[in-house]
Amino acid sequence: MTLRFCSLSSGSSGNCYLAGSDRTLVLVDAGISARQITERLKALGLKPEDLSGILITHEHSDHIKGIDTLSKKYHLPLYMNSATEEQLRTLCKYHSEMDIRLFENSGTFRLRDLDVRAFSVSHDAADTVGFALQKDSAKICTATDTGCVTEEIMEELTEADLMILEANHDEEILKMGRYPWFLKQRILSDFGHLSNEAAGLALAEAVAQDPRPRQVLLAHLSKENNFPEMAWQTVVNVLESRRIYLNDDLRIDLLKRDEMSGVYVL
Ligand SMILES: [Zn+2]
Ligand SMILES: [Zn+2]
């Protein structure tokens, strides 16, 4: 048992993942309330004091909602890049009291027994990142809040045994839906969110490049512009159109909005 992962919440109204090793547990984002995070950790037999820190992808509220209270109450180290830190100065009430540890994108830093690498994604915040967590040869990669899959993202995804990949929306539902035009343009742009189809294409490419056993978790689903069954089926359809089929070495689950996932162990 090297690495483990559990989604405490995933979707456009709040993102918070628990990941790590036997010795080191971190949150990737804290986009639900500190109370909810505490309750969900408790359901896993854990408490906030068991965490070694929180990795922050970017400053949008669905990723940072709980950090003010969590960091004030438990003094957890917060890991982020400098552009995100600058945004938090105005967004967070207790910013001056936070234990902030800055990292550089595309570099690897050590967090106890974990190697953590933040890589740039393509999104309309100051400097959004995805994270790769590695211990021994096991690797977890989170790639959400990105309008497109760059070469660097592709590289990280391809090497991951557990891949948390955004399947945010169905393009047709989004185009026909009630969102204002500017918001539709934002989501559809290269700096918005990944569609179900784009997620399928990225996964197909990763599998074609490296047929290692992998578990995929479709994440950050939109409440308005997606349905869980549709996200899953669209990704499977894209794969099957390229003769890639689900089996014991390629499993796809979906992270439900406002519901904890099971615990995945690598
Ligand atoms: Zn965002
Ligand atoms: Zn988001």
Side-chain angles (χ1 to χ4, degrees), residues 11-15 29 57-58 60-63 123 144-146 166 168 186 193 220:
S12 36
S13 43
N15 297 275
D29 291 328
T57 59
H58 65 301
H60 286 163
S61 63
D62 58 319
H63 297 261
H123 193 53
T144 67
D145 299 78
T146 190
E166 176 169 51
N168 177 259
R186 191 214 133 207
H193 290 279
H220 208 306

Side-chain angles (χ1 to χ4, degrees), residues 78-96:
L78 304 173
Y79 295 82
M80 67 192 78
N81 60 31
S82 57
T84 302
E85 189 268 338
E86 213 169 289
Q87 298 297 316
L88 295 198
R89 285 179 205 177
T90 47
L91 293 171
C92 291
K93 204 164 141 195
Y94 303 119
H95 173 272
S96 60

